[in-house]
């Protein structure tokens, strides 16, 4: 049994061979850049107006209006002292412009502009290169392409980007007692739902489950199922069949498929019987069968591997330090992830925390982490992981 | 000009005609339930073992092992006092079971089980209906289907769910000065990137941009472009062309298409010139052209409408109260959303806050909100919106 930190470190230290791919900017959201992006020009590329209004030359109360510059107008224009030109947001300012005056602060009559404010030199002018200079690094490799990143990359004129490919993920669930949702259930059977929850969790974080299947607890079926899926996957998730009674079974099926164990069992609650293994550039997690354990292991341990495989510079979910809304006592030495709900101000730990219970997880949006026994009063800052 | 609160209230108060759809559980993530889900049976459906170990009858140091119960075994089994059966996690406990003993706390020799711990009555037994009772409400309409929700719905045996349909969204960008990324740029032109950022933002929150197009600043082209897109959209986003100089133009094109203005201009920074209108059950936002303004308006004002259209019980992004890592002064009366970065402990406001600048937004993961002039010392709690 290893600690949570050791488990995270083992995942973090895996050398991964990654592939890259060119994608359209429209499809790039959620990928991680595989190459540095530098600015191909100054941004903005020319001094331009930050407002709809007038470009004026010199500082006066009145100006003679000598023309108009539309956004996109590329001709060279020039002002003499005392002259003004109507200008729109983003349009290139004429040479000899002292400042831009907002339309709302002016009156126009018979081609004479009256200004109602004290003009400061340079006001409402966006200077060339003010956001980014030619050649400046915009994003380093490993940067997550967010909506704002897409906007910036587009404004640099790039319509394709080179990103790391995401892993091909497949899921195998095992267990004789499990039947798929939608079928009718006999006494003693339970519905197999973990593979559905895992598939949704993959989707939620921008990954895809290429295929999934259910296999009965038959050694040769499990072994050949693993062989088949492992062959075409980068990451294989096994759901169920890894607690004490099943461990030898699954471990042997993995071993006979050439998978080397990297860890088994983490000193944590829920999700103690988590298995992590590797074969060449392929990775296997065998997740515990309890629904809350399975998803907790996904959020804490599987997701960082998927993100690292995808080239992420930073992995894991957002962690925060937030005051708890009620006193809480936790007695065990085993570090615990508790289902919780974060509102605008505080975090509350929810009822029904058992490893088998997923209702509280579905009503929550966070996990509270305690690294051992703790007695916290209301208002104490606790460690929160947003899920 | 209206306040942020007024704008949010106008969006919130729109009556929306929604359609529903049956989707596979596998595809249900990110939708909002249109119907209440009640538990069709007790969950768990039978008393079962929380551990791999032994079901024992009575409290003794030694038991006679009389059999084994695999997970999924549906036969009726029974114990006499002093007897034990090997049992696996999730398996139905035999009648007359007093407790389950973990495998790790036992020794077995010649069909005799020796127990190394003090047994408490009922330990490691999950009682029927302990998580959910037959008929109990599991989720109310408007519940967001998260990975944990998918897991729970699956464990109730449901493989289809009824959800609200998401809106059909289309984007029109306008502006003569704009050219698409990938083309070569002349002096005075700028790359059109807002529609790409908006499309990514839609994807990020589980919405799809069905189509997008760019239209030059020609009244009849804009008017007929709006007519065509509005006809087949639930929500139309217009990008650019809504600041002072263009407002009358876009407003008239929308009016002539039968769109009624619900608000124009919000007392906020960035994103003041935001337009919101409606025609029957169709909604239109015209977003400002500055990149940071456009995305800020999306996160704060557009997203809640999209979520409400999709039937969400709760809308908007996660807001938090977090200490700021540095002192900060803001002088204007206009409420402001500042690009920021949240780490585990604190939030930091980033440099380069101008409305035209999106680099800081791409390097951040949050907005800090100030409702007016404020001078905050390091460590002061500020309002944060995670993006």
């Amino acid at each position: 049994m290893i600690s949570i930190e050791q488990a995270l470190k083992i995942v973090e230290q895996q050398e991964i061979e990654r592939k890259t791919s060119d994608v359209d900017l429209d499809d790039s959201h959620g990928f991680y850049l595989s190459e540095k992006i530098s600015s191909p020009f100054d941004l903005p590329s020319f001094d331009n107006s930050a407002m709809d209004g007038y470009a004026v030359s010199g500082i006066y109360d009145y100006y003679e209006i000598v023309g108009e510059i539309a956004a996109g107008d590329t001709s060279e224009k020039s002002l003499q002292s005392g002259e003004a030109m109507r200008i729109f947001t983003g349009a290139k300012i004429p040479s000899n412009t002292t400042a831009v005056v907002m339309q709302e602060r002016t009156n126009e009559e018979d081609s004479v502009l009256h200004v109602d404010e004290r003009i400061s030199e340079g006001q409402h002018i966006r200077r060339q290169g003010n956001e980014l200079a030619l050649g400046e690094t915009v994003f380093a490799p490993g940067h997550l392409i967010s909506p704002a990143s897409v906007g910036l990359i587009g404004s640099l004129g790039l319509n394709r980007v080179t990103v790391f490919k995401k892993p091909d993920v497949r899921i195998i669930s095992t267990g004789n007692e499990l039947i798929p949702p939608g079928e009718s259930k006999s006494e003693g059977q339970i519905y197999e739902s973990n593979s559905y929850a895992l598939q949704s969790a993959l989707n939620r974080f921008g990954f895809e489950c290429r295929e999934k299947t259910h296999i009965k607890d038959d050694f040769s079926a499990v072994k050949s199922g693993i062989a088949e899926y492992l062959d075409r996957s980068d990451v294989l998730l096994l759901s169920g069949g890894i607690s004490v009674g099943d461990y030898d079974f699954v471990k042997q099926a993995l071993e006979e498929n050439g998978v080397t164990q990297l860890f088994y069992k983490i000193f944590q609650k829920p999700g103690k019987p988590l298995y992590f293994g590797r074969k060449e550039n392929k990775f296997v997690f065998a997740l515990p069968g309890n629904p809350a354990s399975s998803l907790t292991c996904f959020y804490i341990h599987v997701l960082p591997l998927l993100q690292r495989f995808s080239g992420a510079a930073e992995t894991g979910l957002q962690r925060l330090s937030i005051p708890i809304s009620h006193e809480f006592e936790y007695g065990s030495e085993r570090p615990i992830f508790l289902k919780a709900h974060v509102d605008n101000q505080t975090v509350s730990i929810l009822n029904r925390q058992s490893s088998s219970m997923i209702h509280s997880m579905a009503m929550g949006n966070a996990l509270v982490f305690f690294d051992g026994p703790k007695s916290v009063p209301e208002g104490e800052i606790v460690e929160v992981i947003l899920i």
Side-chain angles (χ1 to χ4, degrees), chain A:
Chain A
M1 189 130 54
I2 61 174
S3 70
I4 297 169
E5 293 67 33
Q6 287 171 315
L8 292 174
K9 198 154 194 180
I10 288 170
V11 166
E12 194 189 311
Q13 288 174 339
Q14 295 306 308
E15 298 276 331
I16 301 176
E17 206 177 289
R18 297 184 186 85
K19 296 199 179 89
T20 63
S21 166
D22 275 13
V23 295
D24 279 340
L25 185 57
D26 270 342
D27 303 320
S28 67
H29 169 255
F31 283 94
Y32 297 89
L33 287 173
S34 64
E35 294 177 353
K36 181 175 86 166
I37 290 187
S38 303
S39 188
F41 45 72
D42 288 334
L43 189 75
S45 302
F46 46 87
D47 293 355
N48 70 86
S49 177
M51 295 286 171
D52 289 337
Y54 292 87
V56 298
S57 187
I59 298 187
Y60 305 100
D61 292 336
Y62 294 88
Y63 297 87
E64 183 190 356
I65 300 170
V66 296
E68 179 174 310
I69 312 152
D73 187 338
T74 60
S75 61
E76 283 300 328
K77 294 215 160 73
S78 182
L79 290 176
Q80 307 278 339
S81 184
E83 292 181 345
M85 278 191 197
R86 179 106 172 86
I87 195 165
F88 294 90
T89 307
K92 187 177 171 187
I93 62 165
S95 53
N96 303 322
T97 296
T98 304
V100 168
V101 185
M102 286 171 72
Q103 180 163 309
E104 294 90 328
R105 302 278 159 80
T106 64
N107 290 297
E108 186 192 332
E109 211 184 326
D110 295 335
S111 290
V112 173
L113 182 76
H114 177 243
V115 175
D116 300 331
E117 69 172 347
R118 244 183 80 182
I119 299 169
S120 315
E121 200 172 320
Q123 73 179 27
H124 305 317
I125 298 175
R126 296 180 196 138
R127 293 294 173 192
Q128 178 174 339
N130 191 26
E131 181 160 14
L132 289 168
L134 165 67
E136 188 175 340
T137 298
V138 180
F139 298 127
H143 175 81
L144 172 65
I145 305 178
S146 66
S149 312
V150 166
L152 183 53
I153 293 167
S155 69
L156 299 175
L158 307 171
N159 64 349
R160 306 268 300 165
V161 285
T162 309
V163 300
F164 289 111
K165 277 191 175 176
K166 293 192 182 176
D168 265 19
V169 186
R170 282 177 181 72
I171 303 174
I172 296 175
S173 56
T174 59
N176 288 339
E177 76 281 23
L178 301 175
I179 59 161
E183 294 192 3
S184 73
K185 184 165 73 90
S186 311
E187 176 81 8
Q189 294 187 313
I190 58 172
Y191 285 112
E192 193 287 297
S193 58
N194 287 357
S195 72
Y196 293 80
L198 290 171
Q199 181 169 355
S200 298
L202 287 167
N203 295 161
R204 156 88 194 276
F205 294 101
F207 300 97
E208 224 182 286
C209 171
R210 297 295 177 117
E211 284 175 284
K212 65 175 189 182
T213 191
H214 181 76
I215 303 176
K216 295 266 175 191
D217 292 330
D218 169 83
F219 182 75
S220 72
V222 170
K223 185 181 156 185
S224 68
I226 290 173
E228 194 196 325
Y229 265 33
L230 196 58
D231 189 48
R232 42 182 198 269
S233 304
D234 298 310
V235 176
L236 176 61
L237 305 182
L238 291 167
S239 172
I242 198 65
S243 58
V244 189
D246 315 291
Y247 171 63
D248 293 339
F249 186 82
V250 168
K251 191 190 169 193
Q252 195 187 339
L254 287 166
E255 264 175 10
E256 293 189 16
N257 273 300
V259 179
T260 307
Q261 179 175 312
L262 295 169
F263 65 70
Y264 171 60
K265 281 197 179 173
I266 304 176
F267 191 57
Q268 66 178 18
K269 192 177 176 173
K272 186 173 75 169
L274 178 69
Y275 168 100
F276 178 50
R278 170 173 196 160
K279 179 189 184 180
E280 293 148 15
N281 204 46
K282 296 165 183 296
F283 297 87
V284 179
F285 282 98
L287 295 142
N290 274 326
S293 308
S294 174
L295 265 188
T296 301
C297 284
F298 180 90
Y299 289 132
I300 305 300
H301 299 287
V302 178
L303 186 59
L305 179 90
L306 296 173
Q307 291 171 323
R308 272 187 48 76
F309 201 105
S310 309
E314 285 172 43
T315 63
L317 294 167
Q318 177 72 54
R319 288 177 186 242
L320 297 165
S321 306
I322 301 185
I324 191 166
S325 69
H326 53 88
E327 59 175 9
F328 192 81
E329 202 154 331
Y330 176 64
S332 159
E333 291 293 330
R334 183 135 59 109
I336 191 165
F337 299 97
L338 292 152
K339 296 137 197 117
H341 190 270
V342 171
D343 64 19
N344 296 0
Q345 311 284 340
T346 58
V347 63
S348 307
I349 293 172
L350 301 168
N351 291 326
R352 308 203 261 198
Q353 289 289 338
S354 149
S355 309
S356 62
M357 290 182 179
I358 202 165
H359 191 213
S360 48
M361 206 168 203
M363 300 311 284
N365 56 10
L367 299 170
V368 164
F369 179 68
F370 288 137
D371 62 2
K374 209 159 244 180
S375 177
V376 294
E378 180 189 329
E380 181 106 335
I381 303 287
V382 298
E383 188 176 345
V384 171
I385 302 159
L386 295 183
I387 61 172

